[in-house]
Amino acid sequence: MTEKSILNYLIEYLIFTLYEIQEANRGKDFVTNEYLAYIECLEIVSKWQGFKKFGIDDIEKHFQVK
């Protein structure tokens, strides 16, 4: 796999997982910490110029970080 395809795959996985966690019960500490960890990962890869095609401008607003 190329770097671009790996980043695309990782970003798609992170976004999918965050949506899944959002729908789960976030009252549990583990789920909340896991959610925040995925957001941190997504913020790191969002620095890649190809990230814009995923349509998320403000990660913390999009995934409602409190």
Side-chain angles (χ1 to χ4, degrees):
M1 292 181 99
T2 66
E3 294 93 355
K4 183 178 177 180
S5 63
I6 291 169
L7 275 173
N8 281 321
Y9 177 73
L10 177 60
I11 292 166
E12 287 171 1
Y13 176 78
L14 291 169
I15 290 170
F16 171 79
T17 303
L18 283 164
Y19 282 127
E20 291 281 307
I21 294 171
Q22 262 185 337
E23 293 182 20
N25 181 1
R26 290 185 59 197
K28 297 181 180 178
D29 287 340
F30 175 77
V31 173
T32 301
N33 290 336
E34 184 179 24
Y35 185 77
L36 294 174
Y38 278 111
I39 289 173
E40 295 266 340
C41 292
L42 196 56
E43 287 177 342
I44 292 168
V45 295
S46 73
K47 299 187 183 322
W48 174 53
Q49 65 181 352
F51 184 79
K52 293 180 189 240
K53 76 176 186 177
F54 293 93
I56 299 175
D57 295 327
D58 185 341
I59 295 168
E60 290 186 11
K61 183 177 179 184
H62 189 87
F63 289 105
Q64 302 172 0
V65 174
K66 295 177 182 179

